[in-house]
Amino acid sequence: GNSVTQMEGPVTLSEEAFLTINCTYTATGYPSLFWYVQYPGEGLQLLLKATKADDKGSNKGFEATYRKETTSFHLEKGSVQVSDSAVYFCALSDRSGGYQKVTFGTGTKLQVIP
Amino acid sequence: GAGVSQTPSNKVTEKGKYVELRCDPISGHTALYWYRQSLGQGPEFLIYFQGTGAADDSGLPNDRFFAVRPEGSVSTLKIQRTERGDSAVYLCASSKNREAGASYNEQFFGPGTRLTVL
């Protein structure tokens, strides 16, 4: 079956530091890949996505590239802010059955300190 | 706003009781999903509705769990004879029908219902 493995947290960084959160996946076929973010007290939000190999998803200064050869989708940001403190989930979905069944990783908590 | 709403936001119940959790999807979204998020884990798929029918209920953990969507809009997740292990945040998401040629339809998540079984 499908699975997603992401680095364990918490990750604590100083403001303006570089962020990488590693994510690898196992899937049959050609899944779409996502990063979701959950800010304190809020619901899950889609941060970025990539639907095919070599696609780069980007949003709010975050980027991730769909690497089929390494089955990875690492999240990066060049300069984090305190407001980026949240839990980040890597996820994939396949389209078997004609709908999106999303498989999530366990989440990585990011804390950015001033 | 017109996002996905879930009620109640918190539910505390005793072991063995019956609970219902409600989800109001975004208007016009035909697809509806339920997920369960245990502490320190990512959401896990429970069930998917397309319209009124449950197209995939393979994620429901056992027959104590049941969900309905009688009019193709609001959905209710029902848990009978609750157990302490059912304690989690239950998330609902909705999306549009996948457009022809589209590779993905974004799922919009509600804020969740935190269920605590004592």
Side-chain angles (χ1 to χ4, degrees), chain A residues 44-63:
Chain A
L44 273 173
Q45 300 174 27
L46 179 64
L47 178 61
L48 54 84
K49 68 178 186 291
T51 57
K52 61 183 187 297
D54 299 325
D55 268 4
K56 177 186 282 189
S58 61
N59 186 25
K60 299 182 180 179
F62 291 89
E63 293 183 341

Side-chain angles (χ1 to χ4, degrees), chain B:
Chain B
V4 178
S5 61
Q6 293 186 244
T7 54
S9 55
N10 280 285
K11 176 70 177 178
V12 180
T13 191
E14 294 179 342
K15 181 175 178 294
K17 298 290 189 183
Y18 168 82
V19 296
E20 291 189 349
L21 312 178
R22 176 186 168 110
C23 171
D24 278 88
I26 292 172
S27 178
H29 281 192
T30 56
L32 185 146
Y33 305 78
W34 283 99
Y35 295 84
R36 179 168 71 173
Q37 186 174 12
S38 300
L39 191 62
Q41 301 296 313
E44 294 177 308
F45 170 82
L46 295 178
I47 187 169
Y48 156 69
F49 286 90
Q50 181 59 251
T52 60
D56 183 349
D57 63 359
S58 62
L60 294 178
N62 51 61
D63 61 6
R64 295 186 298 105
F65 288 75
F66 189 71
V68 295
R69 196 185 184 199
E71 297 178 359
S73 179
V74 170
S75 176
T76 305
L77 179 65
K78 308 180 180 193
I79 310 174
Q80 298 177 321
R81 304 183 304 280
T82 51
E83 300 178 357
R84 293 194 179 88
D86 299 335
S87 296
V89 176
Y90 289 81
L91 298 170
C92 177
S94 70
S95 71
K96 297 179 189 177
N97 262 341
R98 186 158 60 94
E99 295 171 357
S103 57
Y104 174 71
N105 269 9
E106 181 176 350
Q107 293 184 22
F108 294 85
F109 283 81
T113 293
R114 181 176 298 279
L115 175 66
T116 303
V117 182
L118 302 177

Side-chain angles (χ1 to χ4, degrees), chain A:
Chain A
N2 296 337
S3 67
V4 175
T5 303
Q6 61 183 106
M7 63 188 288
E8 289 190 19
V11 173
T12 302
L13 295 174
S14 297
E15 207 165 19
E16 299 183 3
F18 183 85
L19 169 71
T20 299
I21 301 179
N22 290 337
C23 171
T24 57
Y25 67 90
T26 302
T28 54
Y30 302 96
S32 296
L33 302 176
F34 314 95
W35 278 98
Y36 281 84
V37 60
Q38 191 169 37
Y39 297 103
E42 298 185 17
L44 273 173
Q45 300 174 27
L46 179 64
L47 178 61
L48 54 84
K49 68 178 186 291
T51 57
K52 61 183 187 297
D54 299 325
D55 268 4
K56 177 186 282 189
S58 61
N59 186 25
K60 299 182 180 179
F62 291 89
E63 293 183 341
T65 301
Y66 190 142
R67 300 288 188 200
K68 190 169 183 293
E69 64 276 13
T70 54
T71 62
S72 65
F73 193 55
H74 305 320
L75 183 68
E76 297 182 336
K77 186 174 185 181
S79 176
V80 294
Q81 304 301 312
V82 172
S83 57
D84 294 326
S85 298
V87 181
Y88 292 82
F89 293 91
C90 186
L92 68 82
S93 75
D94 62 38
R95 285 170 281 152
S96 59
Y99 67 97
Q100 304 283 345
K101 187 173 181 176
V102 182
T103 301
F104 289 87
T106 54
T108 302
K109 184 175 182 178
L110 170 66
Q111 183 177 11
V112 181
I113 54 179

